[in-house]
Short mmCIF file of all heavy atoms in Angstrom, two decimals:
data_model
loop_
_atom_site.label_atom_id
_atom_site.label_comp_id
_atom_site.label_asym_id
_atom_site.label_seq_id
_atom_site.Cartn_x
_atom_site.Cartn_y
_atom_site.Cartn_z
N ARG A 1111 -152.04 118.66 -34.94
CA ARG A 1111 -152.04 119.62 -33.85
C ARG A 1111 -151.31 119.09 -32.62
O ARG A 1111 -150.82 119.85 -31.82
CB ARG A 1111 -153.46 120.00 -33.47
CG ARG A 1111 -154.33 120.45 -34.60
CD ARG A 1111 -154.05 121.86 -34.99
NE ARG A 1111 -154.87 122.20 -36.16
CZ ARG A 1111 -154.62 123.20 -36.90
NH1 ARG A 1111 -153.61 123.98 -36.68
NH2 ARG A 1111 -155.37 123.46 -37.93
N LEU A 1112 -151.28 117.76 -32.48
CA LEU A 1112 -150.55 117.17 -31.36
C LEU A 1112 -149.06 117.47 -31.46
O LEU A 1112 -148.40 117.68 -30.44
CB LEU A 1112 -150.79 115.66 -31.30
CG LEU A 1112 -152.22 115.23 -30.97
CD1 LEU A 1112 -152.37 113.73 -31.10
CD2 LEU A 1112 -152.60 115.70 -29.58
N ILE A 1113 -148.56 117.52 -32.68
CA ILE A 1113 -147.14 117.83 -32.87
C ILE A 1113 -146.83 119.24 -32.40
O ILE A 1113 -145.81 119.48 -31.74
CB ILE A 1113 -146.73 117.64 -34.35
CG1 ILE A 1113 -146.76 116.15 -34.69
CG2 ILE A 1113 -145.36 118.24 -34.63
CD1 ILE A 1113 -146.55 115.85 -36.15
N LEU A 1114 -147.71 120.18 -32.67
CA LEU A 1114 -147.49 121.56 -32.23
C LEU A 1114 -147.53 121.65 -30.70
O LEU A 1114 -146.73 122.38 -30.10
CB LEU A 1114 -148.50 122.50 -32.86
CG LEU A 1114 -148.47 122.60 -34.39
CD1 LEU A 1114 -149.49 123.61 -34.87
CD2 LEU A 1114 -147.09 122.95 -34.89
N ALA A 1115 -148.44 120.93 -30.08
CA ALA A 1115 -148.51 120.92 -28.62
C ALA A 1115 -147.23 120.32 -28.04
O ALA A 1115 -146.67 120.85 -27.08
CB ALA A 1115 -149.73 120.14 -28.15
N ARG A 1116 -146.77 119.24 -28.63
CA ARG A 1116 -145.53 118.61 -28.16
C ARG A 1116 -144.34 119.54 -28.36
O ARG A 1116 -143.45 119.61 -27.52
CB ARG A 1116 -145.32 117.28 -28.90
CG ARG A 1116 -144.08 116.54 -28.54
CD ARG A 1116 -144.17 115.96 -27.12
NE ARG A 1116 -143.00 115.15 -26.87
CZ ARG A 1116 -142.00 115.54 -26.07
NH1 ARG A 1116 -142.04 116.68 -25.45
NH2 ARG A 1116 -140.96 114.75 -25.90
N ALA A 1117 -144.33 120.26 -29.45
CA ALA A 1117 -143.24 121.20 -29.73
C ALA A 1117 -143.20 122.32 -28.68
O ALA A 1117 -142.12 122.71 -28.23
CB ALA A 1117 -143.40 121.80 -31.13
N ARG A 1118 -144.36 122.81 -28.29
CA ARG A 1118 -144.40 123.85 -27.25
C ARG A 1118 -143.76 123.33 -25.96
O ARG A 1118 -143.04 124.06 -25.28
CB ARG A 1118 -145.84 124.30 -26.98
CG ARG A 1118 -146.39 125.19 -28.07
CD ARG A 1118 -147.68 125.86 -27.64
NE ARG A 1118 -148.73 124.93 -27.23
CZ ARG A 1118 -149.64 124.41 -28.04
NH1 ARG A 1118 -149.65 124.73 -29.32
NH2 ARG A 1118 -150.55 123.59 -27.59
N GLU A 1119 -144.03 122.09 -25.63
CA GLU A 1119 -143.44 121.48 -24.43
C GLU A 1119 -141.94 121.25 -24.59
O GLU A 1119 -141.16 121.54 -23.69
CB GLU A 1119 -144.12 120.14 -24.14
CG GLU A 1119 -145.56 120.22 -23.76
CD GLU A 1119 -146.20 118.85 -23.68
OE1 GLU A 1119 -145.48 117.83 -23.71
OE2 GLU A 1119 -147.44 118.79 -23.61
N ALA A 1120 -141.55 120.71 -25.74
CA ALA A 1120 -140.15 120.33 -25.96
C ALA A 1120 -139.21 121.52 -25.94
O ALA A 1120 -138.07 121.40 -25.49
CB ALA A 1120 -140.03 119.57 -27.28
N TRP A 1121 -139.66 122.65 -26.44
CA TRP A 1121 -138.79 123.82 -26.52
C TRP A 1121 -139.26 124.94 -25.59
O TRP A 1121 -139.02 126.12 -25.84
CB TRP A 1121 -138.68 124.29 -27.97
CG TRP A 1121 -137.88 123.33 -28.78
CD1 TRP A 1121 -136.53 123.13 -28.72
CD2 TRP A 1121 -138.35 122.42 -29.77
NE1 TRP A 1121 -136.14 122.15 -29.60
CE2 TRP A 1121 -137.25 121.70 -30.26
CE3 TRP A 1121 -139.61 122.13 -30.28
CZ2 TRP A 1121 -137.37 120.72 -31.24
CZ3 TRP A 1121 -139.73 121.15 -31.26
CH2 TRP A 1121 -138.61 120.46 -31.72
N ALA A 1122 -139.89 124.59 -24.49
CA ALA A 1122 -140.41 125.58 -23.55
C ALA A 1122 -139.31 126.41 -22.91
O ALA A 1122 -139.56 127.52 -22.43
CB ALA A 1122 -141.24 124.90 -22.47
N ASP A 1123 -138.08 125.91 -22.91
CA ASP A 1123 -136.96 126.64 -22.31
C ASP A 1123 -136.38 127.70 -23.26
O ASP A 1123 -135.47 128.44 -22.89
CB ASP A 1123 -135.86 125.68 -21.88
CG ASP A 1123 -135.26 124.91 -23.05
OD1 ASP A 1123 -135.99 124.62 -24.02
OD2 ASP A 1123 -134.05 124.59 -22.99
N ARG A 1124 -136.89 127.77 -24.46
CA ARG A 1124 -136.43 128.73 -25.48
C ARG A 1124 -137.49 129.81 -25.68
O ARG A 1124 -138.66 129.58 -25.40
CB ARG A 1124 -136.19 128.03 -26.82
CG ARG A 1124 -135.21 126.91 -26.78
CD ARG A 1124 -133.89 127.47 -27.11
NE ARG A 1124 -132.90 126.41 -27.16
CZ ARG A 1124 -131.63 126.66 -27.17
NH1 ARG A 1124 -131.18 127.89 -27.18
NH2 ARG A 1124 -130.76 125.68 -27.19
N PRO A 1125 -137.09 130.96 -26.24
CA PRO A 1125 -138.11 131.95 -26.62
C PRO A 1125 -139.01 131.38 -27.71
O PRO A 1125 -138.53 130.94 -28.76
CB PRO A 1125 -137.29 133.13 -27.14
CG PRO A 1125 -135.92 132.94 -26.57
CD PRO A 1125 -135.73 131.45 -26.42
N VAL A 1126 -140.31 131.34 -27.46
CA VAL A 1126 -141.28 130.74 -28.39
C VAL A 1126 -142.34 131.78 -28.73
O VAL A 1126 -142.85 132.47 -27.85
CB VAL A 1126 -141.94 129.49 -27.77
CG1 VAL A 1126 -143.04 128.95 -28.65
CG2 VAL A 1126 -140.89 128.41 -27.51
N ASP A 1127 -142.67 131.87 -30.01
CA ASP A 1127 -143.74 132.74 -30.50
C ASP A 1127 -144.84 131.85 -31.07
O ASP A 1127 -144.58 131.04 -31.96
CB ASP A 1127 -143.18 133.67 -31.58
CG ASP A 1127 -144.21 134.61 -32.18
OD1 ASP A 1127 -145.41 134.48 -31.89
OD2 ASP A 1127 -143.80 135.47 -32.98
N LEU A 1128 -146.04 131.97 -30.54
CA LEU A 1128 -147.16 131.11 -30.96
C LEU A 1128 -148.13 131.82 -31.89
O LEU A 1128 -149.23 131.34 -32.12
CB LEU A 1128 -147.90 130.61 -29.72
CG LEU A 1128 -147.05 129.83 -28.70
CD1 LEU A 1128 -147.88 129.48 -27.49
CD2 LEU A 1128 -146.44 128.60 -29.33
N THR A 1129 -147.72 132.94 -32.46
CA THR A 1129 -148.58 133.73 -33.32
C THR A 1129 -149.09 132.95 -34.53
O THR A 1129 -150.27 132.98 -34.86
CB THR A 1129 -147.86 135.00 -33.81
OG1 THR A 1129 -147.43 135.73 -32.67
CG2 THR A 1129 -148.76 135.86 -34.67
N ASP A 1130 -148.21 132.23 -35.20
CA ASP A 1130 -148.58 131.55 -36.45
C ASP A 1130 -147.94 130.16 -36.49
O ASP A 1130 -147.19 129.85 -37.40
CB ASP A 1130 -148.13 132.39 -37.64
CG ASP A 1130 -148.72 131.91 -38.95
OD1 ASP A 1130 -149.79 131.28 -38.92
OD2 ASP A 1130 -148.11 132.17 -40.00
N GLY A 1131 -148.21 129.35 -35.50
CA GLY A 1131 -147.56 128.06 -35.36
C GLY A 1131 -146.72 128.08 -34.10
O GLY A 1131 -147.05 128.73 -33.12
N VAL A 1132 -145.60 127.36 -34.13
CA VAL A 1132 -144.66 127.36 -33.02
C VAL A 1132 -143.31 127.79 -33.57
O VAL A 1132 -142.65 127.02 -34.28
CB VAL A 1132 -144.56 125.97 -32.35
CG1 VAL A 1132 -143.54 125.99 -31.22
CG2 VAL A 1132 -145.92 125.52 -31.83
N LYS A 1133 -142.93 129.03 -33.29
CA LYS A 1133 -141.65 129.56 -33.75
C LYS A 1133 -140.69 129.60 -32.56
O LYS A 1133 -141.00 130.17 -31.52
CB LYS A 1133 -141.81 130.97 -34.32
CG LYS A 1133 -140.52 131.54 -34.87
CD LYS A 1133 -140.77 132.91 -35.50
CE LYS A 1133 -139.51 133.46 -36.13
NZ LYS A 1133 -139.76 134.78 -36.75
N VAL A 1134 -139.54 128.97 -32.75
CA VAL A 1134 -138.56 128.85 -31.67
C VAL A 1134 -137.28 129.56 -32.09
O VAL A 1134 -136.73 129.29 -33.17
CB VAL A 1134 -138.26 127.36 -31.37
CG1 VAL A 1134 -137.24 127.23 -30.26
CG2 VAL A 1134 -139.54 126.62 -31.01
N ARG A 1135 -136.82 130.46 -31.24
CA ARG A 1135 -135.57 131.18 -31.50
C ARG A 1135 -134.41 130.41 -30.88
O ARG A 1135 -134.48 129.99 -29.73
CB ARG A 1135 -135.64 132.58 -30.93
CG ARG A 1135 -136.69 133.41 -31.60
CD ARG A 1135 -136.45 134.90 -31.41
NE ARG A 1135 -137.48 135.65 -32.10
CZ ARG A 1135 -137.44 135.96 -33.39
NH1 ARG A 1135 -136.43 135.58 -34.12
NH2 ARG A 1135 -138.41 136.65 -33.94
N LEU A 1136 -133.36 130.26 -31.66
CA LEU A 1136 -132.13 129.62 -31.22
C LEU A 1136 -131.02 130.66 -31.19
O LEU A 1136 -131.20 131.78 -31.66
CB LEU A 1136 -131.77 128.49 -32.19
CG LEU A 1136 -132.87 127.46 -32.47
CD1 LEU A 1136 -132.46 126.54 -33.60
CD2 LEU A 1136 -133.17 126.67 -31.20
N GLN A 1137 -129.86 130.30 -30.67
CA GLN A 1137 -128.74 131.24 -30.65
C GLN A 1137 -128.32 131.66 -32.05
O GLN A 1137 -127.92 132.79 -32.27
CB GLN A 1137 -127.54 130.63 -29.93
CG GLN A 1137 -127.66 130.63 -28.43
CD GLN A 1137 -126.39 130.13 -27.78
OE1 GLN A 1137 -125.78 129.18 -28.26
NE2 GLN A 1137 -126.01 130.77 -26.70
N ASP A 1138 -128.40 130.72 -32.98
CA ASP A 1138 -127.89 130.99 -34.33
C ASP A 1138 -128.96 130.89 -35.42
O ASP A 1138 -128.66 130.61 -36.57
CB ASP A 1138 -126.74 130.05 -34.64
CG ASP A 1138 -127.15 128.58 -34.60
OD1 ASP A 1138 -128.23 128.27 -34.07
OD2 ASP A 1138 -126.39 127.75 -35.10
N GLY A 1139 -130.21 131.11 -35.05
CA GLY A 1139 -131.27 131.06 -36.05
C GLY A 1139 -132.62 130.83 -35.40
O GLY A 1139 -132.80 131.10 -34.21
N TRP A 1140 -133.54 130.33 -36.18
CA TRP A 1140 -134.87 130.02 -35.67
C TRP A 1140 -135.53 128.98 -36.57
O TRP A 1140 -135.08 128.73 -37.67
CB TRP A 1140 -135.76 131.26 -35.57
CG TRP A 1140 -135.94 132.03 -36.85
CD1 TRP A 1140 -135.22 133.11 -37.24
CD2 TRP A 1140 -136.88 131.76 -37.90
NE1 TRP A 1140 -135.66 133.55 -38.47
CE2 TRP A 1140 -136.68 132.74 -38.90
CE3 TRP A 1140 -137.86 130.81 -38.11
CZ2 TRP A 1140 -137.43 132.79 -40.07
CZ3 TRP A 1140 -138.61 130.86 -39.28
CH2 TRP A 1140 -138.39 131.84 -40.23
N PHE A 1141 -136.60 128.37 -36.05
CA PHE A 1141 -137.43 127.50 -36.88
C PHE A 1141 -138.87 127.70 -36.46
O PHE A 1141 -139.17 128.17 -35.37
CB PHE A 1141 -137.02 126.02 -36.76
CG PHE A 1141 -137.25 125.41 -35.41
CD1 PHE A 1141 -138.46 124.83 -35.09
CD2 PHE A 1141 -136.25 125.42 -34.45
CE1 PHE A 1141 -138.68 124.28 -33.84
CE2 PHE A 1141 -136.46 124.87 -33.20
CZ PHE A 1141 -137.67 124.29 -32.89
N ILE A 1142 -139.75 127.35 -37.38
CA ILE A 1142 -141.18 127.42 -37.11
C ILE A 1142 -141.85 126.15 -37.62
O ILE A 1142 -141.48 125.61 -38.66
CB ILE A 1142 -141.84 128.68 -37.75
CG1 ILE A 1142 -143.28 128.83 -37.30
CG2 ILE A 1142 -141.71 128.69 -39.25
CD1 ILE A 1142 -143.91 130.17 -37.62
N LEU A 1143 -142.79 125.67 -36.84
CA LEU A 1143 -143.64 124.55 -37.23
C LEU A 1143 -145.02 125.13 -37.47
O LEU A 1143 -145.58 125.82 -36.60
CB LEU A 1143 -143.72 123.51 -36.11
CG LEU A 1143 -142.42 122.89 -35.67
CD1 LEU A 1143 -142.64 122.01 -34.45
CD2 LEU A 1143 -141.82 122.08 -36.79
N ARG A 1144 -145.57 124.88 -38.65
CA ARG A 1144 -146.88 125.41 -39.01
C ARG A 1144 -147.75 124.27 -39.54
O ARG A 1144 -147.35 123.56 -40.46
CB ARG A 1144 -146.76 126.48 -40.08
CG ARG A 1144 -146.03 127.70 -39.60
CD ARG A 1144 -146.00 128.78 -40.64
NE ARG A 1144 -147.38 129.22 -40.87
CZ ARG A 1144 -147.81 129.75 -42.00
NH1 ARG A 1144 -146.99 129.89 -43.02
NH2 ARG A 1144 -149.04 130.13 -42.12
N ALA A 1145 -148.93 124.14 -38.96
CA ALA A 1145 -149.88 123.14 -39.45
C ALA A 1145 -150.66 123.73 -40.62
O ALA A 1145 -151.03 124.90 -40.60
CB ALA A 1145 -150.84 122.75 -38.33
N SER A 1146 -150.87 122.92 -41.63
CA SER A 1146 -151.68 123.34 -42.77
C SER A 1146 -153.15 123.29 -42.38
O SER A 1146 -153.59 122.40 -41.65
CB SER A 1146 -151.43 122.41 -43.95
OG SER A 1146 -152.34 122.70 -45.00
N ASN A 1147 -153.91 124.25 -42.88
CA ASN A 1147 -155.36 124.23 -42.66
C ASN A 1147 -156.10 123.42 -43.71
O ASN A 1147 -157.28 123.13 -43.57
CB ASN A 1147 -155.91 125.66 -42.65
CG ASN A 1147 -155.50 126.41 -41.41
OD1 ASN A 1147 -155.40 125.84 -40.34
ND2 ASN A 1147 -155.26 127.69 -41.55
N THR A 1148 -155.40 123.05 -44.79
CA THR A 1148 -156.06 122.35 -45.89
C THR A 1148 -155.51 120.95 -46.14
O THR A 1148 -156.12 120.19 -46.89
CB THR A 1148 -155.93 123.16 -47.19
OG1 THR A 1148 -154.54 123.35 -47.48
CG2 THR A 1148 -156.62 124.51 -47.05
N GLU A 1149 -154.37 120.62 -45.53
CA GLU A 1149 -153.75 119.30 -45.72
C GLU A 1149 -153.31 118.76 -44.37
O GLU A 1149 -153.03 119.54 -43.46
CB GLU A 1149 -152.52 119.41 -46.62
CG GLU A 1149 -152.79 119.97 -48.00
CD GLU A 1149 -151.47 120.18 -48.74
OE1 GLU A 1149 -150.87 121.25 -48.56
OE2 GLU A 1149 -151.07 119.25 -49.47
N PRO A 1150 -153.22 117.45 -44.22
CA PRO A 1150 -152.76 116.87 -42.95
C PRO A 1150 -151.22 116.87 -42.85
O PRO A 1150 -150.58 115.82 -42.76
CB PRO A 1150 -153.33 115.46 -42.99
CG PRO A 1150 -153.33 115.12 -44.45
CD PRO A 1150 -153.66 116.42 -45.16
N ILE A 1151 -150.63 118.05 -42.90
CA ILE A 1151 -149.18 118.16 -42.84
C ILE A 1151 -148.76 119.29 -41.89
O ILE A 1151 -149.55 120.18 -41.59
CB ILE A 1151 -148.55 118.42 -44.23
CG1 ILE A 1151 -149.04 119.75 -44.80
CG2 ILE A 1151 -148.82 117.29 -45.19
CD1 ILE A 1151 -148.33 120.17 -46.07
N VAL A 1152 -147.53 119.19 -41.44
CA VAL A 1152 -146.91 120.24 -40.65
C VAL A 1152 -145.66 120.66 -41.41
O VAL A 1152 -144.84 119.83 -41.80
CB VAL A 1152 -146.53 119.76 -39.24
CG1 VAL A 1152 -145.73 120.82 -38.50
CG2 VAL A 1152 -147.77 119.39 -38.44
N ARG A 1153 -145.51 121.95 -41.65
CA ARG A 1153 -144.34 122.47 -42.35
C ARG A 1153 -143.28 122.88 -41.34
O ARG A 1153 -143.59 123.42 -40.28
CB ARG A 1153 -144.72 123.68 -43.19
CG ARG A 1153 -145.56 123.34 -44.39
CD ARG A 1153 -145.92 124.60 -45.19
NE ARG A 1153 -146.59 124.25 -46.41
CZ ARG A 1153 -147.87 123.95 -46.51
NH1 ARG A 1153 -148.63 123.95 -45.44
NH2 ARG A 1153 -148.41 123.65 -47.68
N VAL A 1154 -142.02 122.62 -41.69
CA VAL A 1154 -140.89 123.06 -40.88
C VAL A 1154 -140.10 124.04 -41.73
O VAL A 1154 -139.67 123.71 -42.84
CB VAL A 1154 -139.98 121.88 -40.48
CG1 VAL A 1154 -138.77 122.38 -39.70
CG2 VAL A 1154 -140.76 120.86 -39.68
N ILE A 1155 -139.93 125.25 -41.22
CA ILE A 1155 -139.16 126.28 -41.90
C ILE A 1155 -138.06 126.72 -40.94
O ILE A 1155 -138.33 126.96 -39.76
CB ILE A 1155 -140.05 127.49 -42.28
CG1 ILE A 1155 -141.21 127.03 -43.17
CG2 ILE A 1155 -139.23 128.59 -42.94
CD1 ILE A 1155 -142.33 128.04 -43.29
N ALA A 1156 -136.83 126.80 -41.43
CA ALA A 1156 -135.71 127.21 -40.58
C ALA A 1156 -134.92 128.30 -41.27
O ALA A 1156 -134.84 128.35 -42.49
CB ALA A 1156 -134.81 126.01 -40.29
N GLU A 1157 -134.33 129.16 -40.46
CA GLU A 1157 -133.47 130.22 -40.98
C GLU A 1157 -132.26 130.36 -40.08
O GLU A 1157 -132.35 130.25 -38.86
CB GLU A 1157 -134.23 131.54 -41.03
CG GLU A 1157 -133.45 132.65 -41.70
CD GLU A 1157 -134.27 133.90 -41.88
OE1 GLU A 1157 -135.27 133.85 -42.63
OE2 GLU A 1157 -133.93 134.92 -41.25
N SER A 1158 -131.10 130.59 -40.72
CA SER A 1158 -129.85 130.82 -40.00
C SER A 1158 -128.92 131.60 -40.91
O SER A 1158 -129.30 131.96 -42.03
CB SER A 1158 -129.23 129.49 -39.58
OG SER A 1158 -128.15 129.71 -38.70
N ALA A 1159 -127.70 131.84 -40.45
CA ALA A 1159 -126.75 132.63 -41.23
C ALA A 1159 -126.30 131.94 -42.51
O ALA A 1159 -125.95 132.60 -43.48
CB ALA A 1159 -125.54 132.98 -40.37
N THR A 1160 -126.32 130.61 -42.50
CA THR A 1160 -125.91 129.86 -43.70
C THR A 1160 -126.99 128.84 -44.07
O THR A 1160 -127.76 128.39 -43.21
CB THR A 1160 -124.58 129.11 -43.47
OG1 THR A 1160 -124.80 128.07 -42.49
CG2 THR A 1160 -123.47 130.05 -43.02
N ASP A 1161 -127.00 128.48 -45.34
CA ASP A 1161 -127.94 127.45 -45.80
C ASP A 1161 -127.68 126.14 -45.07
O ASP A 1161 -128.63 125.44 -44.70
CB ASP A 1161 -127.79 127.21 -47.31
CG ASP A 1161 -128.32 128.36 -48.14
OD1 ASP A 1161 -129.05 129.21 -47.59
OD2 ASP A 1161 -128.00 128.41 -49.34
N GLU A 1162 -126.42 125.81 -44.86
CA GLU A 1162 -126.06 124.55 -44.21
C GLU A 1162 -126.61 124.49 -42.80
O GLU A 1162 -127.15 123.47 -42.36
CB GLU A 1162 -124.54 124.34 -44.20
CG GLU A 1162 -123.94 124.13 -45.57
CD GLU A 1162 -123.72 125.43 -46.35
OE1 GLU A 1162 -123.74 126.54 -45.72
OE2 GLU A 1162 -123.53 125.36 -47.57
N ARG A 1163 -126.47 125.59 -42.06
CA ARG A 1163 -126.96 125.59 -40.68
C ARG A 1163 -128.49 125.57 -40.65
O ARG A 1163 -129.08 124.87 -39.83
CB ARG A 1163 -126.42 126.81 -39.92
CG ARG A 1163 -126.88 126.87 -38.49
CD ARG A 1163 -126.45 125.65 -37.68
NE ARG A 1163 -127.04 125.72 -36.35
CZ ARG A 1163 -127.56 124.69 -35.70
NH1 ARG A 1163 -127.50 123.47 -36.21
NH2 ARG A 1163 -128.09 124.86 -34.51
N ALA A 1164 -129.14 126.29 -41.54
CA ALA A 1164 -130.61 126.25 -41.60
C ALA A 1164 -131.08 124.84 -41.91
O ALA A 1164 -132.04 124.34 -41.30
CB ALA A 1164 -131.12 127.23 -42.65
N ARG A 1165 -130.41 124.17 -42.82
CA ARG A 1165 -130.77 122.78 -43.17
C ARG A 1165 -130.56 121.87 -41.96
O ARG A 1165 -131.39 121.00 -41.67
CB ARG A 1165 -129.93 122.31 -44.36
CG ARG A 1165 -130.38 120.99 -44.92
CD ARG A 1165 -129.68 120.65 -46.22
NE ARG A 1165 -130.12 121.56 -47.27
CZ ARG A 1165 -129.35 122.49 -47.84
NH1 ARG A 1165 -128.10 122.64 -47.48
NH2 ARG A 1165 -129.82 123.27 -48.78
N ALA A 1166 -129.46 122.07 -41.23
CA ALA A 1166 -129.18 121.25 -40.05
C ALA A 1166 -130.25 121.45 -38.97
O ALA A 1166 -130.68 120.49 -38.32
CB ALA A 1166 -127.80 121.56 -39.49
N ILE A 1167 -130.68 122.69 -38.78
CA ILE A 1167 -131.75 122.97 -37.81
C ILE A 1167 -133.02 122.24 -38.23
O ILE A 1167 -133.65 121.55 -37.42
CB ILE A 1167 -132.00 124.49 -37.70
CG1 ILE A 1167 -130.81 125.18 -37.03
CG2 ILE A 1167 -133.29 124.77 -36.93
CD1 ILE A 1167 -130.85 126.70 -37.11
N ALA A 1168 -133.42 122.38 -39.48
CA ALA A 1168 -134.63 121.72 -39.97
C ALA A 1168 -134.55 120.21 -39.83
O ALA A 1168 -135.51 119.56 -39.39
CB ALA A 1168 -134.91 122.12 -41.42
N GLU A 1169 -133.41 119.63 -40.17
CA GLU A 1169 -133.25 118.18 -40.06
C GLU A 1169 -133.31 117.72 -38.60
O GLU A 1169 -133.88 116.67 -38.30
CB GLU A 1169 -131.94 117.75 -40.72
CG GLU A 1169 -132.00 117.85 -42.23
CD GLU A 1169 -130.65 117.59 -42.90
OE1 GLU A 1169 -129.65 117.36 -42.19
OE2 GLU A 1169 -130.61 117.64 -44.14
N SER A 1170 -132.77 118.51 -37.70
CA SER A 1170 -132.83 118.19 -36.28
C SER A 1170 -134.27 118.20 -35.79
O SER A 1170 -134.70 117.31 -35.06
CB SER A 1170 -131.97 119.18 -35.50
OG SER A 1170 -132.11 118.97 -34.12
N VAL A 1171 -135.01 119.21 -36.18
CA VAL A 1171 -136.42 119.32 -35.78
C VAL A 1171 -137.21 118.15 -36.36
O VAL A 1171 -138.01 117.51 -35.66
CB VAL A 1171 -137.02 120.67 -36.22
CG1 VAL A 1171 -138.53 120.71 -36.01
CG2 VAL A 1171 -136.34 121.81 -35.49
N LEU A 1172 -136.99 117.83 -37.62
CA LEU A 1172 -137.69 116.70 -38.23
C LEU A 1172 -137.34 115.39 -37.54
O LEU A 1172 -138.20 114.52 -37.36
CB LEU A 1172 -137.36 116.63 -39.72
CG LEU A 1172 -137.99 117.72 -40.58
CD1 LEU A 1172 -137.37 117.71 -41.98
CD2 LEU A 1172 -139.50 117.56 -40.63
N GLY A 1173 -136.09 115.23 -37.14
CA GLY A 1173 -135.68 114.03 -36.41
C GLY A 1173 -136.40 113.93 -35.07
O GLY A 1173 -136.85 112.83 -34.68
N GLU A 1174 -136.52 115.05 -34.38
CA GLU A 1174 -137.23 115.06 -33.10
C GLU A 1174 -138.70 114.69 -33.30
O GLU A 1174 -139.25 113.89 -32.57
CB GLU A 1174 -137.11 116.43 -32.45
CG GLU A 1174 -137.66 116.52 -31.07
CD GLU A 1174 -136.84 115.74 -30.04
OE1 GLU A 1174 -135.66 115.42 -30.31
OE2 GLU A 1174 -137.39 115.44 -28.97
N ILE A 1175 -139.34 115.25 -34.31
CA ILE A 1175 -140.74 114.92 -34.60
C ILE A 1175 -140.87 113.43 -34.93
O ILE A 1175 -141.80 112.77 -34.49
CB ILE A 1175 -141.27 115.79 -35.75
CG1 ILE A 1175 -141.38 117.25 -35.30
CG2 ILE A 1175 -142.64 115.27 -36.25
CD1 ILE A 1175 -141.65 118.23 -36.42
N GLY A 1176 -139.94 112.90 -35.69
CA GLY A 1176 -139.95 111.48 -36.03
C GLY A 1176 -139.89 110.60 -34.77
O GLY A 1176 -140.58 109.59 -34.68
N ARG A 1177 -139.09 111.01 -33.78
CA ARG A 1177 -139.02 110.26 -32.53
C ARG A 1177 -140.35 110.32 -31.78
O ARG A 1177 -140.75 109.33 -31.16
CB ARG A 1177 -137.87 110.78 -31.66
CG ARG A 1177 -136.50 110.33 -32.16
CD ARG A 1177 -135.38 110.71 -31.22
NE ARG A 1177 -135.06 112.13 -31.27
CZ ARG A 1177 -134.33 112.71 -32.22
NH1 ARG A 1177 -133.83 111.98 -33.20
NH2 ARG A 1177 -134.08 113.99 -32.18
N TRP A 1178 -141.03 111.47 -31.82
CA TRP A 1178 -142.32 111.57 -31.15
C TRP A 1178 -143.35 110.64 -31.77
O TRP A 1178 -144.21 110.11 -31.09
CB TRP A 1178 -142.87 112.99 -31.23
CG TRP A 1178 -142.02 114.04 -30.62
CD1 TRP A 1178 -141.03 113.86 -29.68
CD2 TRP A 1178 -142.05 115.43 -30.88
NE1 TRP A 1178 -140.46 115.07 -29.36
CE2 TRP A 1178 -141.06 116.05 -30.08
CE3 TRP A 1178 -142.81 116.22 -31.74
CZ2 TRP A 1178 -140.84 117.42 -30.10
CZ3 TRP A 1178 -142.59 117.59 -31.75
CH2 TRP A 1178 -141.62 118.18 -30.94
N LEU A 1179 -143.26 110.47 -33.10
CA LEU A 1179 -144.25 109.67 -33.81
C LEU A 1179 -143.94 108.17 -33.82
O LEU A 1179 -144.80 107.37 -34.18
CB LEU A 1179 -144.37 110.16 -35.25
CG LEU A 1179 -144.86 111.62 -35.40
CD1 LEU A 1179 -144.81 112.03 -36.87
CD2 LEU A 1179 -146.24 111.78 -34.81
N ALA A 1180 -142.72 107.82 -33.43
CA ALA A 1180 -142.30 106.40 -33.46
C ALA A 1180 -143.00 105.58 -32.37
O ALA A 1180 -143.48 106.04 -31.41
CB ALA A 1180 -140.79 106.30 -33.30
#
């Protein structure tokens, strides 16, 4: 849950939807961080016009989370 709180802070300058996790809208797509209710994990889901860009968004978000946890 700390990751979701940090995500709200980190992307506060972007349109954020907190309905089901932390969903952040970007110019060319979006991503959502969702905590599992049954496992100690956070899922990262990204969508964009291309698979490559969606993958790049997800990898960027995962890299940012990795820096928070380091």
Side-chain angles (χ1 to χ4, degrees):
R1111 308 281 176 197
L1112 293 174
I1113 291 173
L1114 298 182
R1116 179 70 175 106
R1118 285 193 304 269
E1119 294 172 12
W1121 289 288
D1123 63 327
R1124 302 268 183 193
V1126 174
D1127 179 352
L1128 303 176
T1129 303
D1130 192 25
V1132 178
K1133 183 177 183 179
V1134 180
R1135 296 201 179 276
L1136 307 171
Q1137 283 185 320
D1138 61 345
W1140 56 265
F1141 67 88
I1142 187 168
L1143 301 173
R1144 295 184 65 207
S1146 172
N1147 289 326
T1148 58
E1149 300 173 275
I1151 62 172
V1152 173
R1153 289 179 173 81
V1154 177
I1155 302 165
E1157 186 174 296
S1158 190
T1160 66
D1161 289 345
E1162 293 81 16
R1163 180 60 186 138
R1165 189 171 291 112
I1167 291 169
E1169 288 173 359
S1170 175
V1171 171
L1172 288 169
E1174 187 69 19
I1175 292 170
R1177 284 186 285 281
W1178 300 339
L1179 298 175

